[in-house]
């Protein structure tokens, strides 16, 4: 699996569709896999939602709740869910023809089953090699649907009254942001900050990220229903780690902006030492705007639902050079736990997780340079790709006197979220046995929270 697709909340259910090859753990003919959840943590996988057809593979896209049945795809009085996705035709590509076009599918049973629209494609490529990943939302001020679509080195915006006939509006990005690779998976999202409407445009980039390979950048600005205008010219990264890519937000979540990303990197995605599965998602995150020193920045803390499955186990007051045995906690918590760290922002510190195989993962903070760093170069026993054994550095963006960091540890990932999401570093790790020891240097307050399944009450 790779990119999350078609994220939509409907009738109390979160739907997660995703790029999926059901016949192999290698990338191949792309389908839309499908999973649902009521709490963003416990997921039930369903049958494949969309399969390749004569128009090509099913690449990335989005799903909207067509509350007014503007598309006419549902019988009178019913509400369709409408998927807008990219058809990718490899045979056309081999002939040098445009091969990526936007198509529709719809569901009239709350997302259980899907039918493709007979008039596909609804938006053909304007002669571009890259023309994909449509993200659609209803723009209330202009009473029409707006689509963001990735076009190689920029994002194009289109509008429609019925999701079938699309008119070009504008484009953005040829001279803005990072351009080390192809732009993908756009998402234009409204926010309210200090009583003023602001817009954020997410754009994934491969390669060219701050750690090499894949990453997601974002732009803050205004959108008038036709044109997106950024308010800054610096490059801003959503996550400074190597393993949070192609993330987008759920539609139909009034008052919240919920995000999830694919936890991998195209540098080494096909080489990950897992079998028979390959590919995973990050924890769900909440996107929020925050003013720091005159800049409007995105925060991405873990979604509130995540806290329900972690329960306090130990308060480790100023560990210094000491160590703490995590073996019983890790065994009971199925290898999952949360660390909460607090320190004076003027003081450097270092924290390490170790296992009984001599492998380790290191998180440190350089107070003088105001930077966090993750070192996973010693976190696995098998060298499966040279670009994986790396150290990742990220700036501390908060201006507060206290430095707060949360680390979510799973069996093969460590998601570091600092200062309530102003800095994030998402990392895959592949230790050959669970972490059993925590050690620290510096004046740190540390608490350990265990993953406790029974603590979550399911409806």
């Amino acid at each position: 699996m790779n990119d999350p697709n078609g994220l939509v909340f409907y009738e109390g259910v979160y739907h997660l569709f995703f790029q999926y090859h059901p016949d192999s753990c290698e990338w191949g003919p792309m389908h839309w896999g499908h999973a649902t959840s009521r709490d963003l943590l416990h997921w039930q996988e369903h049958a494949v939602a969309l399969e390749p057809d004569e128009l090509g593979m099913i690449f990335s896209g989005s799903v909207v709740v067509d509350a007014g049945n503007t598309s006419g795809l549902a019988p009178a009085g019913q509400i369709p869910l409408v998927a807008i996705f990219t058809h990718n035709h490899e045979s056309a590509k081999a002939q040098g023809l445009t091969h990526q076009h936007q198509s529709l599918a719809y569901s009239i049973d709350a997302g259980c089953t899907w039918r493709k629209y007979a008039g596909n494609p609804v938006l053909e490529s304007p002669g571009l090699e890259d023309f994909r990943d449509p993200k659609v939302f209803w723009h209330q001020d202009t009473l029409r649907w707006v689509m963001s679509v990735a076009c190689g080195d920029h994002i194009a915006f289109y509008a429609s009254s019925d999701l079938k006939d699309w008119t070009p509006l504008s484009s953005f990005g040829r001279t803005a942001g990072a351009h080390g690779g192809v732009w993908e998976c756009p998402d234009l999202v409204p926010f309210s900050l200090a009583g003023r409407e602001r817009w954020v445009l997410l754009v994934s980039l491969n390669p060219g990220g701050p750690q090499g390979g894949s990453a997601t950048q974002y732009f803050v600005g205004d959108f008038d229903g036709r044109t997106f205008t950024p308010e800054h010219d610096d490059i801003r990264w959503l996550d400074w780690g190597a393993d949070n890519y192609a993330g987008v937000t759920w539609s139909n979540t009034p008052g919240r902006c919920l995000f999830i990303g694919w936890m991998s990197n195209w540098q080494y995605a096909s080489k990950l030492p897992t079998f028979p599965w390959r590919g995973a998602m990050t924890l769900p995150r909440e996107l929020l705007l925050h003013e720091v020193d005159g800049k409007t920045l995105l925060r991405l803390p873990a979604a509130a639902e995540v806290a329900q499955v972690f329960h306090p186990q130990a308060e480790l007051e100023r560990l210094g050079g000491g160590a703490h045995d995590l073996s019983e906690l890790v065994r009971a918590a199925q290898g999952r736990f949360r660390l909460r760290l607090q320190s004076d922002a003027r003081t450097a510190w270092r924290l390490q997780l170790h296992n009984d195989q001599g492998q380790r993962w290191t998180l440190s903070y350089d107070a003088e340079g105001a930077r966090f760093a993750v070192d996973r170069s010693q976190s696995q026993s098998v060298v499966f790709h040279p670009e994986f054994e790396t150290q990742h550095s990220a700036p501390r963006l908060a201006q507060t006197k206290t430095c707060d960091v949360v680390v979510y540890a799973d069996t093969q990932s460590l998601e570091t979220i600092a200062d309530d999401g102003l800095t994030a570093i998402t990392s895959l790790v592949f230790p050959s046995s669970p972490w059993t020891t925590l050690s620290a240097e510096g004046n740190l307050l540390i608490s350990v929270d265990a993953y406790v399944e029974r603590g979550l009450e399911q409806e």
Side-chain angles (χ1 to χ4, degrees):
M1 65 187 296
N2 50 285
D3 302 7
N5 297 156
L7 307 181
V8 63
F9 180 67
Y10 187 62
E11 295 184 343
V13 176
Y14 293 95
H15 292 263
L16 166 64
F17 301 90
F18 50 92
Q19 288 287 281
Y20 181 47
H21 185 196
D23 303 317
S24 171
C25 61
E26 299 284 348
W27 190 93
M30 285 290 101
H31 300 55
W32 267 24
H34 184 202
T36 57
S37 173
R38 289 187 176 274
D39 63 10
L40 291 169
L41 287 172
H42 299 78
W43 294 89
Q44 178 181 356
E45 192 169 357
H46 303 282
V48 167
L50 298 175
E51 298 181 350
D53 55 30
E54 67 279 1
L55 293 177
M57 301 182 195
I58 312 299
F59 270 22
S60 294
S62 51
V63 169
V64 296
V65 179
D66 186 8
N69 195 19
T70 62
S71 63
L73 293 173
Q78 295 190 40
I79 295 175
L81 298 183
V82 181
I84 308 94
F85 62 91
T86 297
H87 259 125
N88 181 85
H89 202 296
E90 287 295 301
S91 295
K93 181 180 181 180
Q95 298 175 53
L97 304 174
T98 54
H99 59 283
Q100 295 184 341
H101 312 287
Q102 316 319 318
S103 294
L104 302 182
Y106 61 98
S107 173
I108 55 175
D109 57 7
C112 293
T113 60
W114 293 82
R115 304 174 189 173
K116 291 171 186 161
Y117 174 53
N120 284 336
V122 297
L123 179 59
E124 297 192 37
S125 172
L128 299 174
E129 180 179 356
D130 299 298
F131 186 66
R132 59 179 178 267
D133 311 336
K135 188 67 160 65
V136 173
F137 67 94
W138 178 257
H139 188 248
Q140 186 60 36
D141 288 351
T142 56
L143 297 177
R144 59 187 180 180
W145 300 100
V146 172
M147 175 197 294
S148 309
V149 60
C151 302
D153 65 349
H154 67 282
I155 304 302
F157 301 104
Y158 290 80
S160 174
S161 61
D162 61 4
L163 294 168
K164 299 173 182 176
D165 297 311
W166 293 91
T167 301
L169 294 175
S170 63
S171 65
F172 165 77
R174 286 186 176 90
T175 60
H179 281 276
V182 176
W183 281 25
E184 299 184 306
C185 303
D187 194 357
L188 183 60
V189 187
F191 289 84
S192 179
L193 181 64
R196 176 187 163 193
E197 184 180 70
R198 314 286 278 278
W199 291 80
V200 171
L201 177 64
L202 305 179
V203 177
S204 291
L205 172 74
N206 179 54
Q211 313 301 345
S214 315
T216 300
Q217 60 185 319
Y218 70 91
F219 304 87
V220 181
D222 294 310
F223 180 69
D224 61 5
R226 176 174 292 275
T227 303
F228 174 76
T229 305
E231 63 183 41
H232 60 92
D233 56 12
D234 58 323
I235 297 171
R236 300 181 183 179
W237 299 107
L238 188 73
D239 192 307
W240 291 81
D243 299 307
N244 186 350
Y245 188 63
V248 287
T249 63
W250 265 272
S251 65
N252 200 39
T253 57
R256 300 185 75 186
C257 185
L258 293 167
F259 166 99
I260 202 166
W262 174 48
M263 191 156 51
S264 196
N265 191 305
W266 280 120
Q267 283 185 319
Y268 43 72
S270 65
K271 305 298 182 183
L272 297 183
T274 57
F275 185 83
W277 62 276
R278 183 171 282 139
M281 297 296 168
T282 67
L283 284 171
R285 310 284 182 90
E286 195 117 21
L287 296 190
L288 302 158
L289 280 186
H290 191 78
E291 292 284 352
V292 178
D293 196 25
K295 291 184 178 181
T296 304
L297 304 176
L298 265 184
R299 293 194 288 116
L300 62 159
E305 288 83 350
V306 174
Q308 298 180 62
V309 293
F310 290 97
H311 295 256
Q313 294 294 303
E315 294 284 344
L316 311 178
E317 190 86 9
R318 294 179 175 81
L319 262 183
H324 185 75
D325 185 356
L326 298 176
S327 54
E328 289 188 16
L329 179 149
V330 170
R331 190 181 307 112
Q334 304 171 46
R336 303 171 218 176
F337 57 93
R338 177 176 65 180
L339 302 176
R340 288 181 291 164
L341 321 174
Q342 190 175 87
S343 74
D344 187 320
R346 298 166 297 180
T347 304
W349 49 263
R350 185 175 75 160
L351 176 144
Q352 286 190 327
L353 293 172
H354 311 259
N355 66 10
D356 55 13
Q357 304 297 310
Q359 294 151 13
R360 64 183 181 272
W361 174 85
T362 305
L363 171 66
S364 60
Y365 174 64
D366 171 15
E368 184 175 349
R371 295 190 72 86
F372 300 100
V374 163
D375 184 349
R376 65 177 180 188
S377 61
Q378 305 298 317
S379 67
Q380 59 279 325
S381 59
V382 177
V383 178
F384 61 89
H385 195 281
E387 299 297 337
F388 187 83
E389 294 189 321
T390 50
Q391 301 178 33
H392 302 151
S393 173
R396 181 173 189 257
L397 300 175
Q399 301 293 314
T400 55
K401 295 180 180 179
T402 302
C403 182
D404 291 285
V405 181
V406 182
V407 179
Y408 293 92
D410 205 337
T411 55
Q412 295 183 336
S413 64
L414 289 154
E415 299 184 54
T416 303
I417 300 174
D419 299 314
D420 204 19
L422 277 172
T423 301
I425 307 174
T426 301
S427 302
L428 290 172
V429 290
F430 297 100
S432 52
S433 63
W435 306 118
T436 54
T437 306
L438 180 153
S439 63
E441 300 173 7
N443 192 11
L444 268 177
L445 297 176
I446 306 174
S447 63
V448 183
D449 304 327
Y451 174 88
V452 182
E453 183 70 41
R454 65 180 180 273
L456 183 67
E457 296 181 2
Q458 295 254 43
E459 294 183 3

